[in-house]
Amino acid sequence: MTQTADPAPLIAPPGLAGVVVADTALGDVRGAEGFFHYRQYDATGLARDHSVEDVWHLLLRGDLPDPETARAWRGEIAEQLLATDRYGEQLTAVLRAAPTRAPLSSLRTAISAYGVLTGDEPLWDLDDAAREQAALRTAAAVPWLVAAAYAVGRGEQPRPARPELGYVGNYLWMVTGGTPDERAVRALGRYLCLTVDHGFNASTFTARVVASTGADLTACVVAAIGALSGPLHGGAPSRALDALDQIGTVENAAPWARAQLAAGQRVMGFGHAVYRGLDPRSELLRETATELGGDTAELAVRVEKEVVRVLDEAKPDRPLRANVEYYAGVVMQECGIPRELFTPTFACSRVIGWTAHILEQARGRKIFRPSSRYVGPPVQ
């Protein structure tokens, strides 16, 4: 077969590192500076001073709400939480049909069913108002579905939503069955605000690729959940806490870190694909874990210092510091979130960012379609 040579393709670096694939007005991660923002606001400042609902409004509608707007906005979210309750019997049946101890897998199935029940339509066919409604409806359903999947996996009945507790308080209630105290609501709220969005990470990029096809919003979120399920993305908080369990005492921290490096293993909870120094999210979460107190928080702070010392000795040219996952597990555990719900809880936050990115992508009319370079046997 006669082969016609095409121009040599431009090969992107592995993982598309450093490649700009789209414009966004939602935020940015400045890895070299150790800084990230949502729209025009420092994200860590928002997490310290604002609620999840405020940040949600900022990403979806473009501004931080004033008190009157905030009340109305919380009312809209409450309506969506109660709307999910109305499908509770059908969604519980879906969860029971495929019981699993992996709530993220159940969430993927249940959110797909929810899209069918609510009549989700292709983004291509919807106007901006209908798209936004689909985004709000779907994001509001995720905490209910996560908590319901956890309950069903334990042979229990899902708890009804209590939207008067707020987004974070309602989630804690549905998972634990107890009315949460203000410390837990504040601490978990900080974590959720810090993880709402973080640039074009794997799950967000996946959601935008599917959105570029004009698919329905539910399909985009299901795809993002699939990306999040990988241990290199959403599974790290529980693994970092597992590492703390293995270490046990501060005296074991340095030997453990050296053993990990000698075995070529990743030191879970340290280093980041973008940040070349301290992950700014870990600073606020360290402070939050310390405020919550407890033996695990105290151990985590002391172990961090020892592990960083070993990493600096082994890799003096590349500083590896604690990332968001290192303290995330500590904070979630102290707030009453069971370990198997760490990644699904991350999804309760990140779905807000996913849906904002999906809406932004849907306003474009161009499908993602990169090229590849063939490296197989010559064509005969």
Side-chain angles (χ1 to χ4, degrees):
M1 177 183 292
T2 302
Q3 300 186 41
T4 302
D6 291 326
L10 177 64
I11 300 299
L16 301 180
V19 175
V20 174
V21 297
D23 293 327
T24 181
L26 296 174
D28 192 24
V29 180
R30 301 179 186 175
E33 301 173 36
F35 173 78
F36 75 114
H37 59 97
Y38 302 150
R39 296 202 184 270
Q40 68 268 43
Y41 298 98
D42 172 14
T44 54
L46 290 172
R48 184 185 297 279
D49 300 327
H50 289 270
S51 66
V52 173
E53 290 92 339
D54 286 349
V55 173
W56 193 351
H57 192 278
L58 173 66
L59 287 183
L60 199 65
R61 294 189 173 168
D63 56 20
L64 287 172
D66 58 36
E68 183 177 351
T69 303
R71 283 191 295 272
W73 174 240
R74 286 170 183 261
E76 289 186 58
I77 295 172
E79 288 178 11
Q80 295 302 329
L81 290 172
L82 294 174
T84 307
D85 258 353
R86 288 197 287 272
Y87 295 103
E89 185 175 338
Q90 294 154 290
L91 292 169
T92 302
V94 169
L95 293 168
R96 286 184 176 144
T100 175
R101 297 289 291 185
L104 198 65
S105 297
S106 296
L107 173 62
R108 188 175 62 224
T109 300
I111 200 71
S112 184
Y114 186 64
V116 173
L117 290 171
T118 57
D120 204 10
E121 299 180 47
L123 293 163
W124 187 264
D125 299 329
L126 301 177
D127 60 23
D128 286 344
R131 290 173 182 168
E132 185 186 281
Q133 188 66 15
L136 177 58
R137 178 178 66 238
T138 304
V142 168
W144 191 99
L145 294 172
V146 168
Y150 178 64
V152 169
R154 293 162 58 88
E156 300 172 356
Q157 183 69 20
R159 297 181 180 91
R162 292 181 58 187
E164 74 276 6
L165 297 176
Y167 189 76
V168 178
N170 174 64
Y171 178 63
L172 285 169
W173 146 254
M174 290 190 296
V175 170
T176 68
T179 302
D181 62 41
E182 286 302 316
R183 291 173 66 252
V185 171
R186 182 174 63 253
L188 186 61
R190 283 181 177 177
Y191 168 68
L192 295 178
C193 284
L194 286 171
T195 53
V196 161
D197 187 44
H198 203 246
F200 273 34
N201 56 82
S203 57
T204 298
F205 183 50
T206 299
R208 291 190 71 129
V209 169
V210 178
S212 78
T213 72
D216 60 72
L217 189 137
T218 304
C220 304
V221 171
V222 169
I225 293 170
L228 187 69
S229 67
L232 295 185
H233 192 11
S238 60
R239 292 172 184 247
L241 200 57
D242 289 343
L244 276 176
D245 289 343
Q246 293 171 19
I247 293 167
T249 66
V250 68
E251 291 76 17
N252 292 335
W256 175 86
R258 292 191 183 99
Q260 292 293 109
L261 292 173
Q265 298 293 319
R266 183 178 176 188
V267 182
M268 297 305 295
F270 292 83
H272 193 273
V274 178
Y275 296 116
R276 288 298 173 261
L278 188 66
D279 183 335
R281 298 169 297 180
S282 71
E283 293 184 280
L284 182 53
L285 288 181
R286 182 197 299 115
E287 177 186 327
T288 303
T290 302
E291 290 173 356
L292 289 170
D295 293 341
T296 304
E298 181 181 348
L299 176 65
V301 172
R302 297 178 67 190
V303 164
E304 179 191 5
K305 295 177 182 177
E306 291 299 308
V307 172
V308 165
R309 180 172 60 82
V310 171
L311 292 173
D312 281 348
E313 292 172 357
K315 301 177 183 292
D317 297 329
R318 187 189 175 191
L320 298 175
R321 298 293 182 262
N323 57 37
V324 66
E325 287 88 7
Y326 183 75
Y327 284 104
V330 178
V331 169
M332 283 189 275
Q333 177 175 272
E334 292 300 322
C335 290
I337 302 296
R339 200 165 298 197
E340 60 264 44
L341 287 190
F342 283 0
T343 302
T345 300
F346 182 19
C348 292
S349 164
R350 188 53 63 84
V351 69
I352 294 171
W354 290 337
T355 50
H357 276 277
I358 290 164
L359 297 187
E360 187 176 62
Q361 186 65 48
R363 287 193 283 272
R365 311 299 280 182
K366 185 72 173 178
I367 189 172
F368 275 106
R369 179 56 173 88
S371 299
S372 60
R373 179 173 60 181
Y374 177 68
V375 296
V379 178
Q380 300 298 314

